[in-house]
Amino acid sequence: MASPKSRVVHVVAGVIRDARGRILLARRTEGRDLAGLWEFPGGKCEPGETPQAALSRELHEELGIEAEVGAQIICVPQAYPDKRLILDVREIRAWRGSARGLEGQALAWVPPHKLASYAMPPADRPVVAALRQPEHYLVTPEPGDSDDAWLAALSRSLAAGVRRVQLRAPGMADGGGDTRLGPDRWQGLAAAAVKRCRAAKVEVLINGDIALAQRLGVGLHLRAAQLRDLRERPVAAELPLAASCHDADELRAAQQLGCDFVVVGSIKPTPSHPSVLGIGWEAFAALRESVSLPIYAIGGLEPGDVGEARQHGAQGIAAIRSLWADA
């Protein structure tokens, strides 16, 4: 891990697409750090340069193309042993010329769905997730008295565009929870919710209950306490595995276990805990540096906060109230 006093290197990279929608990757040449790994093309931002000017220059020098630099996709802070990297990734709106490896680097035009199969530096992996995975992660609220009303609200949330859902009933993983929501009712409700998510082609995970996730054949979202006790992945490799984390040790445990993404927070005070101060975006970014996992920020966040979340290296936001479509 880099120390807080390590040098900070600002690198800007571009997502370049061809007419077929493929994305260009460049392979790091021998003699460089992380040689042989694939990355999004770009380079260092020199003193006094804007990120847009630096990226345009780097793509001309490395690839021989003239690029029109667009909006920021994500900015990933990443700690390396000798430095702290800020990887600022921009969309390339248009480009002219024939892309060639002018510095001897191999190039590959990759279909988006195959990006994750390329070995990449840690900072580039969250970029792939930002391009391919949902920016919103809905955490369902406690069901009230009516299962039909809860399921109808879930359907409205899916129709509104939610593509990744965590089915959560507080206490159910420990056999507790609201006295109105016993295990039998929750299992039936979860099964009905899974059916609706599958029909909408939405990824779904069960919170905390390993046996229920396995029985329903869906993903699993682990509580932070569960990370300490698990030594191997509790669901099949083809099913999503996530976890809630609060510090760097939990993040590293989630990465070692093979989690596909995690949730970190609380970023801001929430309506349910208005007196609890959130960790804030700077502390979130400091935790982001320690792993290469996609990370959702949670706690007092709205869909409109996705842009700020991406500026600090987040995949997007996770939320209950702001993503739940009440009537």
Short mmCIF file of all heavy atoms in Angstrom, two decimals, residues 54-83:
data_model
loop_
_atom_site.label_atom_id
_atom_site.label_comp_id
_atom_site.label_asym_id
_atom_site.label_seq_id
_atom_site.Cartn_x
_atom_site.Cartn_y
_atom_site.Cartn_z
N ALA A 54 -4.50 16.87 -22.17
CA ALA A 54 -3.53 15.79 -21.96
C ALA A 54 -3.95 14.53 -22.71
O ALA A 54 -3.12 13.87 -23.35
CB ALA A 54 -3.40 15.50 -20.46
N LEU A 55 -5.24 14.19 -22.64
CA LEU A 55 -5.69 12.98 -23.31
C LEU A 55 -5.60 13.12 -24.82
O LEU A 55 -5.17 12.18 -25.52
CB LEU A 55 -7.13 12.65 -22.89
CG LEU A 55 -7.72 11.37 -23.47
CD1 LEU A 55 -6.84 10.16 -23.19
CD2 LEU A 55 -9.12 11.12 -22.91
N SER A 56 -5.98 14.26 -25.35
CA SER A 56 -5.87 14.48 -26.79
C SER A 56 -4.42 14.33 -27.24
O SER A 56 -4.13 13.69 -28.26
CB SER A 56 -6.41 15.87 -27.13
OG SER A 56 -6.31 16.11 -28.51
N ARG A 57 -3.49 14.92 -26.48
CA ARG A 57 -2.07 14.82 -26.82
C ARG A 57 -1.58 13.37 -26.75
O ARG A 57 -0.90 12.88 -27.66
CB ARG A 57 -1.24 15.70 -25.86
CG ARG A 57 0.27 15.53 -26.03
CD ARG A 57 1.03 16.35 -25.00
NE ARG A 57 0.65 16.06 -23.63
CZ ARG A 57 1.02 14.96 -22.95
NH1 ARG A 57 1.80 14.03 -23.53
NH2 ARG A 57 0.64 14.78 -21.69
N GLU A 58 -1.92 12.68 -25.67
CA GLU A 58 -1.44 11.30 -25.48
C GLU A 58 -1.95 10.38 -26.58
O GLU A 58 -1.22 9.53 -27.09
CB GLU A 58 -1.86 10.78 -24.11
CG GLU A 58 -1.09 11.36 -22.93
CD GLU A 58 0.30 10.76 -22.80
OE1 GLU A 58 0.60 9.77 -23.50
OE2 GLU A 58 1.09 11.29 -21.99
N LEU A 59 -3.21 10.53 -26.96
CA LEU A 59 -3.76 9.65 -27.99
C LEU A 59 -3.13 9.93 -29.35
O LEU A 59 -2.96 9.01 -30.16
CB LEU A 59 -5.28 9.80 -28.05
CG LEU A 59 -6.04 9.36 -26.80
CD1 LEU A 59 -7.55 9.55 -26.98
CD2 LEU A 59 -5.74 7.92 -26.42
N HIS A 60 -2.76 11.18 -29.57
CA HIS A 60 -2.06 11.50 -30.83
C HIS A 60 -0.66 10.88 -30.83
O HIS A 60 -0.22 10.28 -31.82
CB HIS A 60 -1.98 13.01 -31.01
CG HIS A 60 -1.25 13.41 -32.25
ND1 HIS A 60 -1.78 13.24 -33.51
CD2 HIS A 60 -0.01 13.94 -32.43
CE1 HIS A 60 -0.92 13.68 -34.42
NE2 HIS A 60 0.18 14.10 -33.78
N GLU A 61 0.05 11.00 -29.70
CA GLU A 61 1.42 10.49 -29.60
C GLU A 61 1.47 8.96 -29.61
O GLU A 61 2.36 8.36 -30.21
CB GLU A 61 2.10 11.02 -28.33
CG GLU A 61 2.34 12.51 -28.34
CD GLU A 61 2.86 13.04 -27.01
OE1 GLU A 61 2.97 12.24 -26.04
OE2 GLU A 61 3.14 14.24 -26.92
N GLU A 62 0.52 8.31 -28.93
CA GLU A 62 0.55 6.86 -28.78
C GLU A 62 -0.12 6.13 -29.93
O GLU A 62 0.31 5.03 -30.31
CB GLU A 62 -0.14 6.45 -27.47
CG GLU A 62 0.59 6.88 -26.21
CD GLU A 62 -0.07 6.32 -24.97
OE1 GLU A 62 -0.99 5.48 -25.11
OE2 GLU A 62 0.32 6.72 -23.86
N LEU A 63 -1.18 6.72 -30.48
CA LEU A 63 -2.00 6.01 -31.46
C LEU A 63 -2.05 6.68 -32.82
O LEU A 63 -2.54 6.08 -33.79
CB LEU A 63 -3.44 5.84 -30.93
CG LEU A 63 -3.60 5.15 -29.59
CD1 LEU A 63 -5.06 5.20 -29.16
CD2 LEU A 63 -3.11 3.71 -29.65
N GLY A 64 -1.64 7.92 -32.90
CA GLY A 64 -1.69 8.64 -34.16
C GLY A 64 -3.07 9.08 -34.57
O GLY A 64 -3.36 9.25 -35.75
N ILE A 65 -3.97 9.28 -33.60
CA ILE A 65 -5.33 9.70 -33.92
C ILE A 65 -5.60 11.10 -33.37
O ILE A 65 -4.95 11.55 -32.42
CB ILE A 65 -6.39 8.71 -33.38
CG1 ILE A 65 -6.37 8.67 -31.85
CG2 ILE A 65 -6.18 7.33 -33.97
CD1 ILE A 65 -7.49 7.85 -31.24
N GLU A 66 -6.57 11.77 -33.97
CA GLU A 66 -7.07 13.05 -33.47
C GLU A 66 -8.40 12.76 -32.77
O GLU A 66 -9.33 12.24 -33.39
CB GLU A 66 -7.28 14.04 -34.61
CG GLU A 66 -6.02 14.34 -35.42
CD GLU A 66 -4.95 15.03 -34.59
OE1 GLU A 66 -5.32 15.79 -33.66
OE2 GLU A 66 -3.76 14.84 -34.89
N ALA A 67 -8.46 13.06 -31.48
CA ALA A 67 -9.61 12.65 -30.69
C ALA A 67 -10.38 13.84 -30.16
O ALA A 67 -9.79 14.85 -29.75
CB ALA A 67 -9.16 11.78 -29.52
N GLU A 68 -11.70 13.71 -30.14
CA GLU A 68 -12.58 14.69 -29.50
C GLU A 68 -12.98 14.12 -28.14
O GLU A 68 -13.71 13.13 -28.06
CB GLU A 68 -13.82 14.92 -30.38
CG GLU A 68 -14.78 15.96 -29.83
CD GLU A 68 -16.01 16.14 -30.71
OE1 GLU A 68 -15.92 15.83 -31.92
OE2 GLU A 68 -17.04 16.59 -30.18
N VAL A 69 -12.48 14.73 -27.08
CA VAL A 69 -12.65 14.20 -25.73
C VAL A 69 -14.00 14.65 -25.17
O VAL A 69 -14.33 15.84 -25.21
CB VAL A 69 -11.50 14.66 -24.81
CG1 VAL A 69 -11.71 14.13 -23.39
CG2 VAL A 69 -10.16 14.20 -25.38
N GLY A 70 -14.75 13.69 -24.64
CA GLY A 70 -16.06 13.97 -24.09
C GLY A 70 -16.10 13.94 -22.58
O GLY A 70 -15.13 14.26 -21.89
N ALA A 71 -17.23 13.52 -22.05
CA ALA A 71 -17.49 13.58 -20.61
C ALA A 71 -16.69 12.54 -19.83
O ALA A 71 -16.29 11.51 -20.35
CB ALA A 71 -18.99 13.38 -20.36
N GLN A 72 -16.51 12.85 -18.56
CA GLN A 72 -15.85 11.90 -17.66
C GLN A 72 -16.78 10.71 -17.40
O GLN A 72 -17.98 10.87 -17.17
CB GLN A 72 -15.52 12.58 -16.33
CG GLN A 72 -14.72 11.71 -15.36
CD GLN A 72 -14.47 12.42 -14.04
OE1 GLN A 72 -15.37 12.54 -13.22
NE2 GLN A 72 -13.25 12.91 -13.87
N ILE A 73 -16.21 9.51 -17.44
CA ILE A 73 -16.95 8.28 -17.13
C ILE A 73 -16.79 7.94 -15.65
O ILE A 73 -17.76 7.68 -14.95
CB ILE A 73 -16.48 7.12 -18.02
CG1 ILE A 73 -16.81 7.42 -19.48
CG2 ILE A 73 -17.11 5.80 -17.58
CD1 ILE A 73 -16.20 6.44 -20.46
N ILE A 74 -15.56 7.94 -15.18
CA ILE A 74 -15.26 7.64 -13.79
C ILE A 74 -13.84 8.12 -13.51
O ILE A 74 -13.01 8.20 -14.42
CB ILE A 74 -15.39 6.12 -13.49
CG1 ILE A 74 -15.32 5.83 -11.99
CG2 ILE A 74 -14.36 5.31 -14.26
CD1 ILE A 74 -15.67 4.38 -11.61
N CYS A 75 -13.58 8.46 -12.26
CA CYS A 75 -12.24 8.86 -11.82
C CYS A 75 -11.86 7.94 -10.67
O CYS A 75 -12.47 8.01 -9.59
CB CYS A 75 -12.23 10.32 -11.40
SG CYS A 75 -10.59 11.01 -11.13
N VAL A 76 -10.88 7.06 -10.88
CA VAL A 76 -10.57 6.00 -9.92
C VAL A 76 -9.28 6.32 -9.15
O VAL A 76 -8.20 6.37 -9.75
CB VAL A 76 -10.40 4.65 -10.64
CG1 VAL A 76 -10.14 3.53 -9.63
CG2 VAL A 76 -11.63 4.32 -11.47
N PRO A 77 -9.36 6.52 -7.84
CA PRO A 77 -8.14 6.62 -7.04
C PRO A 77 -7.65 5.21 -6.69
O PRO A 77 -8.44 4.37 -6.26
CB PRO A 77 -8.58 7.39 -5.79
CG PRO A 77 -10.04 7.09 -5.66
CD PRO A 77 -10.57 6.75 -7.03
N GLN A 78 -6.36 4.96 -6.87
CA GLN A 78 -5.82 3.61 -6.63
C GLN A 78 -4.43 3.72 -6.02
O GLN A 78 -3.57 4.44 -6.53
CB GLN A 78 -5.74 2.83 -7.94
CG GLN A 78 -5.36 1.37 -7.77
CD GLN A 78 -6.49 0.54 -7.19
OE1 GLN A 78 -7.62 0.64 -7.64
NE2 GLN A 78 -6.20 -0.26 -6.19
N ALA A 79 -4.22 3.02 -4.91
CA ALA A 79 -2.92 3.01 -4.25
C ALA A 79 -2.05 1.89 -4.80
O ALA A 79 -2.49 0.74 -4.89
CB ALA A 79 -3.10 2.86 -2.75
N TYR A 80 -0.83 2.24 -5.18
CA TYR A 80 0.19 1.27 -5.59
C TYR A 80 1.35 1.38 -4.60
O TYR A 80 1.43 2.35 -3.83
CB TYR A 80 0.65 1.57 -7.01
CG TYR A 80 -0.38 1.25 -8.07
CD1 TYR A 80 -1.26 2.21 -8.54
CD2 TYR A 80 -0.48 -0.03 -8.60
CE1 TYR A 80 -2.21 1.92 -9.50
CE2 TYR A 80 -1.43 -0.34 -9.57
CZ TYR A 80 -2.29 0.64 -10.01
OH TYR A 80 -3.24 0.34 -10.97
N PRO A 81 2.25 0.40 -4.57
CA PRO A 81 3.33 0.44 -3.57
C PRO A 81 4.15 1.72 -3.57
O PRO A 81 4.58 2.17 -2.51
CB PRO A 81 4.19 -0.77 -3.96
CG PRO A 81 3.24 -1.72 -4.60
CD PRO A 81 2.27 -0.84 -5.35
N ASP A 82 4.36 2.33 -4.74
CA ASP A 82 5.24 3.49 -4.83
C ASP A 82 4.53 4.79 -5.19
O ASP A 82 5.18 5.83 -5.37
CB ASP A 82 6.33 3.22 -5.87
CG ASP A 82 5.74 2.99 -7.26
OD1 ASP A 82 4.58 2.58 -7.34
OD2 ASP A 82 6.44 3.24 -8.25
N LYS A 83 3.20 4.77 -5.32
CA LYS A 83 2.51 5.97 -5.76
C LYS A 83 1.02 5.85 -5.48
O LYS A 83 0.50 4.77 -5.17
CB LYS A 83 2.72 6.19 -7.26
CG LYS A 83 2.15 5.07 -8.12
CD LYS A 83 2.56 5.22 -9.58
CE LYS A 83 2.12 4.01 -10.38
NZ LYS A 83 2.64 4.03 -11.75
#
